[in-house]
Structure formats: structure tokens, C-alpha cells
Amino acid sequence: MNTSQSSSAPYRGHHNAWIRPAWTPITIAMMIVGFMIFWPLGLAMLAYILWGDRLEEFKSGVNRTTDGFARNWSCGRGPRSSTGNVAFDDWRNAEIERLREERRKLEEMRAEFEAHLRELRRAKDQDEFDAFMSAYKRKTGKKEGDGKASKSRRKSVPDS
């Protein structure tokens, strides 16, 4: 039996620590400074002082729970990779593969549909642009070839 630890110590194994869940001058000072800097820090320190002795029990409980959960799930594929029944496992694997194939087909279909929508938007934008240009040319009195001819003339004239 280890006599260096007191059985009445609120936080076993850390009763000589400077920062422990108790009303010590250091923890009180840290709480006050925490409130002055950013109030949630002070509140967190207050919570640690009040309930920090339960932290070890909480952590071990969380670890037990997550370990049990992790045992039931493997490689992100769902519950246990083997149930012990070969026929069921074969059927389940076949169904999972079928669903993966269906998902692949749906993803391909979605990609094709998005490409179709992009093409429709481009065609609509082209129609709107063509309508704008014809309205603009009617308004300014320019003919279809005028814009191109003036541009080519500007290019042939050297800048001086």
C-alpha cells in the first residue's frame, strides 16, 4: 500500500501538483486572470476548480465507451466485418458491392447532368449576347462587318 498518497485527497495522484482542482492561491489567481483576459477562460478555470476531481473518472468512462464503439466498427465499413455466418457475410458483401456500383452510376449521371446544365447556360448566355449585339448594332447603325473591319484597320495603323 502506498502511504505517500492520502486517501482523503480530492484528486488522487496529483495532490502535490501546483495546478489542481482545489481552491489554491494559484488556481484562484488563474481564474481571476482568465476572467480579465477572456471571460470563458475564467469560467473554464472555475469549472476545473469545482469539478476537476471528476475529470479522471469522466475521461476513463469516455475511453471505455469509445473503445467499445470502435470494437463494433472496423475500417469505416459499418458494424463488424464478420458476423460468423458465412452465408450472411457473403450476401452482405455482395449487397455492399451492388450499392457501390449504383452509387458510381449515380455519380456519373450527376456529372453528365451538370455538364448538360453548363452547356445550356453557355447557349443561353450566347443567345443573350447575340441579342444584345444585334440590338446594339441596330441602335448605333453599324452593320455586321463594320466592327471587324474597323478593328483590322486599327491594327494595321502603326502607333506613333
Side-chain angles (χ1 to χ4, degrees):
M1 185 171 155
N2 188 353
T3 58
S4 65
Q5 290 182 352
S6 166
S7 62
S8 63
Y11 200 55
R12 291 180 205 160
H14 296 91
H15 67 279
N16 289 329
W18 285 27
I19 301 172
R20 62 183 187 275
W23 292 100
T24 63
I26 292 176
T27 56
I28 293 170
M30 289 179 68
M31 180 182 63
I32 292 170
V33 170
F35 275 115
M36 289 189 313
I37 293 174
F38 185 56
W39 69 267
L41 293 176
L43 192 62
M45 192 64 202
L46 176 63
Y48 177 72
I49 291 169
L50 295 175
W51 299 295
D53 56 339
R54 299 181 190 150
L55 190 61
E56 286 297 319
E57 297 164 1
F58 174 75
K59 284 180 6 184
S60 64
V62 168
N63 285 341
R64 277 192 306 274
T65 303
T66 55
D67 289 346
F69 184 73
R71 267 192 302 275
N72 292 333
W73 291 79
S74 61
C75 302
R77 292 187 60 207
R80 297 185 188 174
S81 58
S82 175
T83 62
N85 185 319
V86 176
F88 176 78
D89 289 343
D90 290 344
W91 172 82
R92 185 186 64 196
N93 290 338
E95 285 296 305
I96 288 172
E97 190 57 39
R98 183 186 64 78
L99 291 171
R100 284 185 182 142
E101 182 63 24
E102 283 294 314
R103 183 179 182 103
R104 187 190 59 74
K105 288 178 185 176
L106 286 172
E107 289 296 322
E108 286 177 0
M109 187 183 282
R110 181 190 56 79
E112 289 175 11
F113 182 68
E114 286 177 351
H116 175 72
L117 286 179
R118 277 193 304 275
E119 184 59 30
L120 286 176
R121 284 187 200 110
R122 192 203 57 74
K124 181 183 172 192
D125 289 348
Q126 186 66 48
D127 289 343
E128 289 173 353
F129 176 73
D130 292 342
F132 167 76
M133 288 304 291
S134 64
Y136 177 76
K137 288 175 184 175
R138 277 193 310 271
K139 180 178 148 185
T140 60
K142 291 185 178 179
K143 294 183 182 175
E144 282 295 317
D146 286 350
K148 291 179 183 174
S150 64
K151 285 181 186 176
S152 64
R153 274 187 259 132
R154 275 187 251 140
K155 288 181 184 175
S156 63
V157 176
D159 291 330
S160 45

